[in-house]
Amino acid sequence: MARKKQKKQPAGAPAWMVTYSDMVTLLLTFFVLLLSMANLDKRKFFDALGSLKGAFGFLQSSSVSEINKPQVISYAPMDDDYVSRLYNRVQAMLTRLRIDRDIDLVQDRGAVILRVKDAILFEAGSTTLRPEAGPVLREIAGLVQPLPLLLRIEGHTDDQPPSDPAVTNWDISVQRAVTVLKFFAAEDLLPLDRLSAVGYGDRRPVAPNLGNEQKALNRRVEFVLENLNQYQDKLPYLIDAADQLPF
């Protein structure tokens, strides 16, 4: 009796395995996209989106150039948890250095703000730093320097018009902020690419301008710690690991 001739198996992987591999690859790509969406970093999101389009085979050449072109750095408020932890650390440092009487530390606008009364830094109506201002500003720079954060210097005044009619409160606030920035630059205390200066005049009071004490609160210089999106991943390490913190 003749044996049946065995059917010859085709070479290569079975057809079901090829289909299964494609499905697993697409699922992996899909979950990578979900993970990138969980991280609120726009640049990473668009990079992952481009990878997903390429995996599905419909990435246009114009999209490639758009994704690979230089991205503009965006600034964002720190998360509330980061702000609270950073606030506590900076407050402890201010107390340790015994300069917490000169500097008020506040949480506002999604950031940590070092608030200094103008009398500590400037004479009344002046935009020239007092000699006593140097040590205070050096201490502030020492606090900010190790942090992966930007520093915005803000000048503020009360609503009392300056004695010189040619000068406005806007002029004084801007010049004071720039004067502080120039001090940091001249002393080489902070990199210039991390600094900015702005003046608000009497437009952003922290108290009603009803009396001398309240007006004195509004005459101030604020040091606003701002976050960069690209530093989000570094902040938990700096803030959570107390033994690793530079302060």
Side-chain angles (χ1 to χ4, degrees):
M1 184 176 176
R3 294 183 179 178
K4 289 185 178 181
K5 190 175 182 180
Q6 293 183 352
K7 193 173 182 179
K8 189 175 181 181
Q9 296 292 334
W16 68 267
M17 184 175 293
V18 176
T19 304
Y20 177 76
S21 300
D22 288 342
M23 181 186 69
V24 171
T25 302
L26 292 177
L27 285 175
L28 176 61
T29 306
F30 175 71
F31 284 113
V32 169
L33 174 62
L34 290 181
L35 181 62
S36 68
M37 294 175 65
N39 183 1
L40 300 180
D41 189 313
K42 292 183 179 180
R43 181 171 183 177
K44 291 182 181 179
F45 171 78
F46 285 112
D47 288 344
L49 182 60
S51 299
L52 182 62
K53 289 182 178 180
F56 281 101
F58 57 86
L59 179 62
Q60 302 296 328
S61 59
S62 59
S63 301
V64 174
S65 60
E66 182 176 351
I67 291 175
N68 292 333
K69 70 180 181 180
Q71 301 290 325
V72 177
I73 297 176
S74 59
Y75 303 91
M78 292 177 283
D79 294 341
D80 291 340
D81 184 48
Y82 294 154
V83 172
S84 298
R85 294 175 184 229
L86 182 61
Y87 173 88
N88 292 334
R89 294 295 180 182
V90 176
Q91 182 63 67
M93 187 59 179
L94 291 176
T95 303
R96 192 179 310 126
L97 295 175
R98 298 181 181 180
I99 58 174
D100 52 321
R101 294 182 180 180
D102 298 331
I103 301 174
D104 293 328
L105 189 66
V106 298
Q107 296 177 231
D108 189 20
R109 291 169 278 162
V112 174
I113 301 175
L114 299 163
R115 183 174 292 164
V116 183
K117 296 178 181 179
D118 74 327
I120 297 175
L121 304 179
F122 301 95
E123 299 290 348
S126 173
T127 58
T128 302
L129 286 172
R130 301 178 59 189
E132 298 84 356
V136 176
L137 293 178
R138 291 187 185 94
E139 295 289 358
I140 292 175
L143 289 174
V144 176
Q145 197 279 332
L147 299 175
L149 299 170
L150 301 177
L151 180 63
R152 186 174 73 249
I153 306 166
E154 297 182 353
H156 300 269
T157 68
D158 59 20
D159 63 350
Q160 184 70 29
S163 56
D164 185 353
V167 178
T168 67
N169 284 328
W170 287 101
D171 297 326
I172 293 177
S173 64
V174 171
Q175 290 177 21
R176 285 182 171 182
V178 172
T179 297
V180 173
L181 187 150
K182 288 182 176 180
F183 177 86
F184 287 147
E187 297 280 328
D188 197 21
L189 299 174
L190 291 169
L192 286 179
D193 58 357
R194 293 175 57 189
L195 299 177
S196 62
V198 61
Y200 291 106
D202 59 353
R203 296 295 91 188
R204 294 191 177 184
V206 294
N209 288 289
L210 300 178
N212 292 332
E213 292 184 2
Q214 292 174 318
K215 288 185 177 183
L217 294 176
N218 293 328
R219 297 192 302 268
R220 66 199 191 277
V221 176
E222 293 186 343
F223 301 85
V224 184
L225 299 176
E226 293 184 309
N227 185 29
L228 267 174
N229 276 343
Q230 66 191 59
Y231 291 139
Q232 284 276 12
D233 298 335
K234 298 181 181 180
L235 283 172
Y237 171 79
L238 288 175
I239 297 172
D240 290 341
D243 56 338
Q244 299 291 337
L245 278 169
F247 51 86

